[in-house]
Amino acid sequence: RDHASCYIGPYKLDCRVPICGDDRSALKDIFDSANGRLWRNNANWGKENSSHCDWYGVTCDESNRTIKLDLQDNGLTGTLSKRIGEL
């Protein structure tokens, strides 16, 4: 399992820390499987020094869990990762 770093405010945390959950890793898989580098807007996606909650189209709750993913009309192609079900 990929344990990428995630950011909560100014603090860098390892995603094994429960507050981070697996949302960041699942979102990165979605980005890769849907050709995120070619999206119309992929602002902040995958940036190591930003929270996944700051990525374009991602909305999080107060616990930094993803509650909405809005990438409509953003040029997604490919196959959507099954990990979307983990969000």
Side-chain angles (χ1 to χ4, degrees):
R1 180 180 279 201
D2 177 24
H3 293 291
S5 296
C6 64
Y7 288 78
I8 308 300
Y11 306 104
K12 180 178 180 180
L13 303 172
D14 186 296
C15 278
R16 286 175 284 207
V17 176
I19 194 169
C20 295
D22 289 324
D23 286 9
R24 183 181 179 93
S25 178
L27 288 166
K28 285 177 76 174
D29 283 353
I30 292 166
F31 179 84
D32 292 339
S33 69
N35 295 307
R37 288 181 179 79
L38 302 176
W39 294 352
R40 288 183 186 92
N41 188 340
N42 59 13
N44 295 322
W45 276 79
K47 284 181 122 178
E48 189 172 322
N49 62 347
S50 71
S51 166
H52 65 280
C53 298
D54 295 328
W55 297 355
Y56 174 80
V58 177
T59 302
C60 295
D61 64 14
E62 61 280 348
S63 299
N64 292 310
R65 290 298 323 264
T66 303
I67 58 172
K68 182 178 179 182
L69 185 59
D70 184 1
L71 298 171
Q72 185 175 352
D73 299 322
N74 203 34
L76 280 70
T77 60
T79 304
L80 191 58
S81 171
K82 292 178 182 180
R83 294 200 63 200
I84 195 166
E86 296 176 23
L87 300 176

